Amino acid sequence: MTRIAKLAAIAALLCVALPSQATIISYQTALGPEVAGATGTGFVTVDYDTLAHTLLIDANWSGLSGTTTVAHIHCCVPTPGTIGVAVTPVTLPGFPAGVTAGTYDSPLIDLTLSSSFTSSFVDNFAGGIVDNAEEALIAGFNNGTAYFNIHTTTFPGGEIRGFLSAVPEPATLALAALGLAGLGWSRRRQA
């Protein structure tokens, strides 16, 4: 086996081994106007821990037309649709009200608790069974049918939002880069 082949094999093994240890899946989106006349923008990251069954939300926003009232994660509807709240009835825990710009770092949201979901989400998307709600929510994240939004005094139905999508993990990116490098190397050898 050539030196390059050995290095490629080692790199491939490392890339395959890393995801098996990973338990955090990140979803992100830019936040933009949900309705005409809205002026705010922002960004949100939602980290899902597959072993602990928890969510952590990190959001920042600015330039809102009104002051914040509540924020939610909604699920499950294709973009640009709207649908009811899925996670945490009323508002996200500790979400700051009364500001036009700010940040939010959520406490852990335990997806094994019925209080983490709205009853309408459990009834409509989890077959009425709380134990199925986490799976339904994560399917919505993975399918791009879940969105984060912020409501304001000017737009009580929601001012800014964004549909969440998975962020490729570093090992996946490394594996893709290795594949591209291999293709480049094979093309070079053929020339």
Side-chain angles (χ1 to χ4, degrees):
M1 192 183 281
T2 69
R3 179 183 166 149
I4 292 176
K6 287 179 186 177
L7 289 174
I10 291 169
L13 287 173
L14 287 174
C15 289
V16 172
L18 291 175
S20 66
Q21 302 301 315
T23 61
I24 306 297
I25 301 171
S26 293
Y27 301 89
Q28 295 180 338
T29 187
L31 301 173
E34 187 168 348
V35 294
T39 59
T41 60
F43 194 82
V44 66
T45 300
V46 177
D47 289 331
Y48 169 57
D49 187 321
T50 61
L51 294 179
H53 305 279
T54 57
L55 293 180
L56 275 176
I57 302 168
D58 177 26
N60 61 68
W61 63 93
S62 62
L64 296 176
S65 306
T67 59
T68 56
T69 55
V70 296
H72 308 287
I73 294 177
H74 297 250
C75 192
C76 300
V77 65
T79 183
T82 58
I83 195 139
V85 175
V87 176
T88 63
V90 184
T91 191
L92 292 168
F95 186 79
V99 298
T100 59
T103 61
Y104 172 69
D105 293 312
S106 74
L108 280 176
I109 298 171
D110 186 342
L111 298 179
T112 65
L113 302 176
S114 62
S115 61
S116 294
F117 299 97
T118 63
S119 59
S120 63
F121 178 75
V122 172
D123 291 343
N124 295 319
F125 295 97
I129 302 168
V130 172
D131 289 345
N132 295 342
E134 177 182 352
E135 182 180 340
L137 179 66
I138 300 309
F141 285 178
N142 290 331
N143 294 329
T145 60
Y147 63 91
F148 178 92
N149 79 334
I150 297 175
H151 301 245
T152 65
T153 52
T154 305
F155 295 102
E159 179 164 339
I160 59 175
R161 74 171 173 172
F163 280 81
L164 296 157
S165 59
V167 177
E169 59 185 279
T172 302
L173 293 175
L175 190 56
L178 182 63
L180 290 173
L183 284 173
W185 178 258
S186 69
R187 295 198 89 198
R188 182 176 173 204
R189 288 184 57 123
Q190 290 174 354

